[in-house]
């Protein structure tokens, strides 16, 4: 009697669940970054401290790589972290840009263009992952460059409207980083289309029980 093709190999290790290995150092660091979001809103609106809010936002943006480094350095990667980290990054970015729009410290057209790209690309990736079983893929190098530029531009707009002597210089920095960063973010968003299509096809092939397994 032959073994059905859908039977799992006795030597195969079960896939890690999403909520396994949640309590790790990188996930804790990501959580700490998320907990700084209310502090940012408090500084910006309750204290009317644009400079303090801007420097906190710049710090949060500049530490985006730390949780990933900790996960690789101490071998603490997890399925939860792969979802939690980019979700927190996108949440911090969307909320902070929206707050700065309300504050009036960023050009409305620029902010809407940034948010539209984030919501469209993030929404497509989330939908494809949850409902189309897309295999996750890493952010491209150009995508990281776009994010770095925008995470420098957004707090620079805030500092450019703060009551500090160097505010004119930060307005220049905001535009120097913002325009290329915005253009690059849309370019990489378009470049993600074939990666998403490939990820959906790979995910469907993996989840299809009729796909023959190698002998």
């Amino acid at each position: 009697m032959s073994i059905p093709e859908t039977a799992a190999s006795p030597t195969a290790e079960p896939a890690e669940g999403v909520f396994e290995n949640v309590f790790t150092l990188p996930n804790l660091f990501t959580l700490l970054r998320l907990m700084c979001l209310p502090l940012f809103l408090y500084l910006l609106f309750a204290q009317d401290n644009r400079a303090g809010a801007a420097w906190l936002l710049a710090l949060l943006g500049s530490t985006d790589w730390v949780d990933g480094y900790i996960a690789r350095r101490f071998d603490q990667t997890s399925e939860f972290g792969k979802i939690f980290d980019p979700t927190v990054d996108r949440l911090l970015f969307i909320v902070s840009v929206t707050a700065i729009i309300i504050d009036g410290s960023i050009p409305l057209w620029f902010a809407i263009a940034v948010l539209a790209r984030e919501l469209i690309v993030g929404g497509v990736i989330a939908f494809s992952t949850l409902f189309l079983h897309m295999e996750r893929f890493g952010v491209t190098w150009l995508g990281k460059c776009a994010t770095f530029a925008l995470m420098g531009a957004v707090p620079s707009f805030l500092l450019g409207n703060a009551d500090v002597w160097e505010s004119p210089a930060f307005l220049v920095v905001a535009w120097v980083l913002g325009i290329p960063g915005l253009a690059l973010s849309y370019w990489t968003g378009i470049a993600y289309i074939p990666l998403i299509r490939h990820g959906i096809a790979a995910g469907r092939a993996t989840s299809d029980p009729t796909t023959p397994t190698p002998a």
Side-chain angles (χ1 to χ4, degrees):
M1 181 178 178
S2 61
I3 300 176
E5 292 177 343
T6 56
S9 172
T11 59
E13 295 183 1
E16 179 183 304
V18 174
F19 295 103
E20 293 181 24
N21 298 323
V22 172
F23 301 103
T24 63
L25 284 176
N27 291 341
L28 176 60
F29 185 83
T30 303
L31 179 61
L32 290 175
R33 293 177 67 238
L34 178 61
M35 291 173 64
C36 288
L37 184 57
L39 177 58
F40 165 79
L41 297 175
Y42 172 77
L43 289 172
L44 183 59
F45 294 118
Q47 295 294 310
D48 195 23
N49 185 353
R50 287 174 173 170
W55 285 117
L56 176 60
L57 184 59
L59 177 64
L60 294 175
S62 64
T63 56
D64 176 36
W65 59 275
V66 174
D67 39 15
Y69 171 79
I70 295 174
R72 293 187 297 271
R73 177 66 176 80
F74 297 99
D75 193 22
Q76 293 189 352
T77 58
S78 64
E79 289 300 311
F80 178 82
K82 293 176 183 178
I83 299 173
F84 187 48
D85 178 33
T87 300
V88 168
D89 291 340
R90 185 159 276 115
L91 180 63
L92 286 170
F93 194 66
I94 291 174
V95 171
S96 61
V97 172
T98 303
I100 298 174
I101 291 176
I102 296 172
D103 181 69
S105 297
I106 191 171
L108 185 59
W109 70 267
F110 180 86
I112 291 176
V114 169
L115 289 178
R117 189 272 183 192
E118 286 299 309
L119 292 173
I120 292 171
V121 174
V124 169
I125 290 177
F127 179 85
S128 300
T129 302
L130 293 174
F131 299 104
L132 302 180
H133 309 291
M134 181 187 74
E135 289 188 352
R136 287 188 296 272
F137 56 87
V139 179
T140 63
W141 184 81
L142 288 178
K144 292 179 180 179
C145 290
T147 300
F148 176 80
L150 291 176
M151 286 304 299
V154 171
S156 293
F157 276 118
L158 194 54
L159 277 167
N161 287 272
D163 187 19
V164 293
W165 66 269
E166 64 268 39
S167 59
F170 276 107
L171 274 180
V172 174
V173 171
W175 286 115
V176 168
L177 293 176
I179 296 300
L182 182 61
L184 191 57
S185 70
Y186 273 86
W187 172 258
T188 55
I190 295 172
Y192 282 150
I193 294 176
L195 296 178
I196 292 172
R197 293 177 60 184
H198 181 270
I200 292 173
R204 285 177 175 175
T206 302
S207 61
D208 187 356
T210 63
T211 302
T213 56

